[in-house]
């Protein structure tokens, strides 16, 4: 389950073009989204079924004033409001698995620290590493059952390392025990690895209300209710390039069953994360979106409005505690919008 809310408002104030003319512009945009997604694997294999229900609510508001005092006094005001509600329901099937590798990462960091201290002198076998990962994966049980869980968790990890023959019995110093505890104080984003592809088929219902009050022209009030089916194709992937570097990305393509050439929508995101320290990550990402919306303003005469956005982002993420972080980003964004005409009306 996921949700988001975005508000963007700007007022241009008065900008005098000449000594006899003044104009002002006010703009507000609101976007609220909700998503519910379900995924169920069919046995121990890679096949799984998927389903999702989502909705987007958009509000766009524009107000424009213009006043002229010479040669002929003239004043006009135009207010345009647009309300758009998109709802979709999709079901399908997929192949592949995405796994959270955060426990593997923490286990490898423990092995790395103990090797630096000289406690582990020989590389662990695959089976020994997996047994340690299994012990680290039970960290939530310790946080639930013990108020100060770290000492119990470290004690059991040391016993596990001795049991599997990774370290000699009684060889761990208090300093190395604290080094193990440090591995659980590192704050990292979930490290998903693997891949999966999926296909879904669903229905989309769109309701749009567009209205305008204009002093110089005739006001309008347009309402549109539209329903259509679509295919969804998706890909998700993740890979650890090193113990400190992780690559993750996803691609989603929505193909409607009508006007494919103009109304196909797509989104993709690729991010590369490098851990600079225990609480600092360097993050670089690229995202692409192609969104199809009803046209802003008069609906009659237009098929849809298409936005294409490319975003390049680079930033530093400082983890404070739990899920709280502070981010500093530099972003480069390229945006393009275009109307697609329909004759005579939007279907």
């Amino acid at each position: 389950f996921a949700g988001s809310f975005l508000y963007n408002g700007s007022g241009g104030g008065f900008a005098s073009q000449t000594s006899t003319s003044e104009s002002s512009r006010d703009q507000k945009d609101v976007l609220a989204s909700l998503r519910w997604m379900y995924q169920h694997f069919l046995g121990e294999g890679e096949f799984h079924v998927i389903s999702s229900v989502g909705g987007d609510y958009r509000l766009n508001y524009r107000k424009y004033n213009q006043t002229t005092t010479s040669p002929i006094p003239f004043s006009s005001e135009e207010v345009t409001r647009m309300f758009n509600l998109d709802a979709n329901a999709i079901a399908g099937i997929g192949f592949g698995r995405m796994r959270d590798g955060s426990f593997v990462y923490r286990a490898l960091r423990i092995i790395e620290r103990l090797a630096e201290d000289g406690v582990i002198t020989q590389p662990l076998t695959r089976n020994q590493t997996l047994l340690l990962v299994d012990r680290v994966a039970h960290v939530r049980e310790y946080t639930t059952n013990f108020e100060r869980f770290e000492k119990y968790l470290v004690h059991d990890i040391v016993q596990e390392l001795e049991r599997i023959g990774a370290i000699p019995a009684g060889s761990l110093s208090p300093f190395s025990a604290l080094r193990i505890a440090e591995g659980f104080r590192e704050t990292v984003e979930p490290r998903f690895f693997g891949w999966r592809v999926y296909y879904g088929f669903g229905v989309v219902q769109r309701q749009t209300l567009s209205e305008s009050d204009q002093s110089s022209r005739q006001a309008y009030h347009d309402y549109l209710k539209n329903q259509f089916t679509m295919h969804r194709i998706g890909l998700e992937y993740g890979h650890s390039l090193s113990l400190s570097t992780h690559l993750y990305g996803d691609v989603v393509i929505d193909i409607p069953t009508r006007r494919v050439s103009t109304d196909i929508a797509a989104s993709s995101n690729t991010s590369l994360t490098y851990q600079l320290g225990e609480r600092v990550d360097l993050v670089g990402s690229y995202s692409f979106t192609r969104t199809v919306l009803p046209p802003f303003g008069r609906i009659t005469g237009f098929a849809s409005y298409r936005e294409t956005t490319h975003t390049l982002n680079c930033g530093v993420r400082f983890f404070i505690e739990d899920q709280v972080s502070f981010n500093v980003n530099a972003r480069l964004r390229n945006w393009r919008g275009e109307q697609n005409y329909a004759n005579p009306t939007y279907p």
Side-chain angles (χ1 to χ4, degrees), residues 6-18:
L6 175 65
Y7 170 80
N8 178 43
S10 63
F14 281 96
S16 178
Q17 297 178 345
T18 67

Side-chain angles (χ1 to χ4, degrees), residues 242-290:
S242 69
L243 196 57
S244 301
T245 310
H246 187 72
L247 177 69
Y248 174 80
D250 63 85
V251 179
V252 179
I253 303 175
D254 290 337
I255 307 173
T257 54
R258 88 286 186 269
R259 290 207 310 271
V260 177
S261 60
T262 59
D263 284 12
I264 185 173
S267 66
S268 68
N269 180 73
T270 301
S271 63
L272 183 66
T273 304
Y274 178 75
Q275 186 178 11
L276 295 174
E278 292 186 0
R279 290 182 176 270
V280 184
D281 279 353
L282 178 65
V283 182
S285 65
Y286 165 76
S287 63
F288 164 81
T289 58
R290 174 175 168 169

Side-chain angles (χ1 to χ4, degrees), residues 25-136:
R25 186 181 186 89
D26 186 28
Q27 173 180 327
K28 294 180 176 64
D29 299 291
V30 176
L31 171 61
S33 300
L34 287 176
R35 297 284 185 276
W36 177 83
M37 293 160 284
Y38 175 76
Q39 178 178 306
H40 177 72
F41 281 87
L42 305 176
E44 299 296 326
E46 307 296 320
F47 283 100
H48 55 274
V49 294
I50 61 170
S51 62
S52 68
V53 178
D56 297 319
Y57 175 76
R58 292 179 177 87
L59 167 63
N60 305 103
Y61 172 86
R62 305 287 186 274
K63 183 178 181 180
Y64 180 74
N65 290 290
Q66 184 176 12
T67 302
T68 302
T69 59
S70 178
I72 301 175
F74 174 79
S75 177
S76 68
E77 180 180 87
E78 179 180 347
V79 178
T80 305
R81 294 173 295 271
M82 183 172 180
F83 308 88
N84 181 69
L85 177 63
D86 276 8
N88 63 78
I90 297 172
I93 191 168
F95 182 82
R97 280 182 184 264
M98 293 295 297
R99 296 174 173 86
D100 185 356
S102 303
F103 300 123
V104 178
Y105 168 81
R106 296 192 186 280
L108 293 177
R109 290 287 283 171
I110 290 172
I111 295 172
E112 182 184 59
R113 283 182 166 90
L114 296 181
E116 291 175 354
D117 295 344
V119 180
I120 295 180
T121 57
Q122 297 292 330
L124 270 66
T125 65
R126 175 182 173 83
N127 186 55
Q128 288 175 322
T129 303
L130 292 177
L131 289 172
L132 178 60
V133 170
D134 183 65
R135 172 58 59 185
V136 173

Side-chain angles (χ1 to χ4, degrees), residues 210-266:
S210 181
E211 56 187 13
S212 176
D213 300 322
Q214 306 177 45
S215 59
S216 59
R217 290 180 291 176
Q218 182 179 1
Y220 63 82
H221 181 94
D222 292 347
Y223 175 74
L224 166 71
K225 184 176 181 179
N226 188 30
Q227 182 173 303
F228 57 92
T229 55
M230 74 171 183
H231 307 274
R232 173 168 291 178
I233 301 173
L235 166 67
E236 187 178 8
Y237 58 92
H239 181 67
S240 291
L241 303 179
S242 69
L243 196 57
S244 301
T245 310
H246 187 72
L247 177 69
Y248 174 80
D250 63 85
V251 179
V252 179
I253 303 175
D254 290 337
I255 307 173
T257 54
R258 88 286 186 269
R259 290 207 310 271
V260 177
S261 60
T262 59
D263 284 12
I264 185 173

